[in-house]
Amino acid sequence: MIPIAHRVVRAGRGRLAVWRLLNSTRGWGGTHTPLDDVHWALERIRAQLPPSTPIGLIGHSLGGRAAILSSGEANVRNVVALAPWLHPRDGDVDASGCRVLFVHGSADRVASPHRALAAAERLSRTARVGVIRVDHGGHAMVRRHRTFDGLAAGFTAATLLDKAPKDSRGALARILADVSFATI
């Protein structure tokens, strides 16, 4: 996630701040989950910023799940879920006013792209949702890391700063223009 954080900073040209959250526990089976960590972090971030400052969340795998489930939180304006590990019902969130981007590799063998699509469809009842499938992209996002990183940074800058993406005809531009699905 560090390369993505650097890309977000560059895309924001000094207008976006980045906080990196390390989960206090691994997995989702205990009483404390990554979702609890996101709520904790959002409280601290909101305490440092003016009240109406928009917040964007980017998460990978279970971090993507935590970001999706936090999409309805106060001030959260955008979410990027990279190869999110989801249950289909994880899309049952009132994310009104939030833009959400799911980015999933076609070769992901860890997190189900079908579950992500089901969650995206459910979430689209309350939020503006786009899905980009990255051909030959795996769960670790190593093979096409520049694509995953660029989509996360570009979407975050575009939605938080109202900034058009560099490629006005690319997949990200189409998603921002309310096309719901694209493949690259």
Side-chain angles (χ1 to χ4, degrees):
M1 295 303 289
I2 292 172
I4 293 171
H6 290 295
R7 294 271 308 252
V8 170
V9 168
R10 279 194 306 274
R13 299 180 186 230
R15 296 176 54 206
L16 295 175
V18 175
W19 282 269
R20 188 172 141 235
L21 174 63
L22 297 175
N23 291 327
S24 62
T25 58
R26 294 180 63 103
W28 207 276
T31 58
H32 186 89
T33 70
L35 184 58
D36 297 311
D37 292 331
V38 173
H39 291 160
W40 173 87
L42 286 172
E43 286 177 23
R44 270 121 197 107
I45 291 168
R46 284 191 208 105
Q48 297 178 40
L49 300 172
S52 62
T53 303
I55 296 171
L57 302 174
I58 301 172
H60 172 254
S61 195
L62 282 177
R65 182 182 193 198
I68 291 294
L69 293 174
S70 299
S71 62
E73 290 289 315
N75 296 12
V76 173
R77 298 292 178 266
N78 83 311
V79 168
V80 179
L82 300 165
W85 194 98
L86 295 165
H87 291 286
R89 291 203 166 269
D90 285 343
D92 290 338
V93 176
D94 183 357
S96 301
C98 190
R99 295 287 312 254
V100 180
L101 175 64
F102 288 75
V103 183
H104 226 293
S106 64
D108 193 329
R109 302 293 177 248
V110 175
S112 167
H114 300 294
R115 284 185 181 180
L117 283 173
E121 186 176 322
R122 294 175 86 85
L123 190 60
S124 69
R125 293 183 228 167
T126 61
R128 292 172 64 192
V129 177
V131 177
I132 297 178
R133 186 184 75 177
V134 179
D135 278 342
H136 310 294
H139 187 71
M141 306 182 305
V142 173
R143 185 167 186 203
R144 303 220 26 216
H145 67 91
R146 285 188 181 100
T147 300
F148 284 96
D149 297 358
L151 290 168
F155 184 81
T156 299
T159 54
L160 293 180
L161 300 175
D162 196 27
K163 178 184 171 198
K166 289 180 184 179
D167 181 359
S168 62
R169 289 180 280 158
L172 185 56
R174 292 193 312 271
I175 293 295
L176 291 166
D178 286 330
V179 171
S180 59
F181 186 83
T183 299
I184 54 176

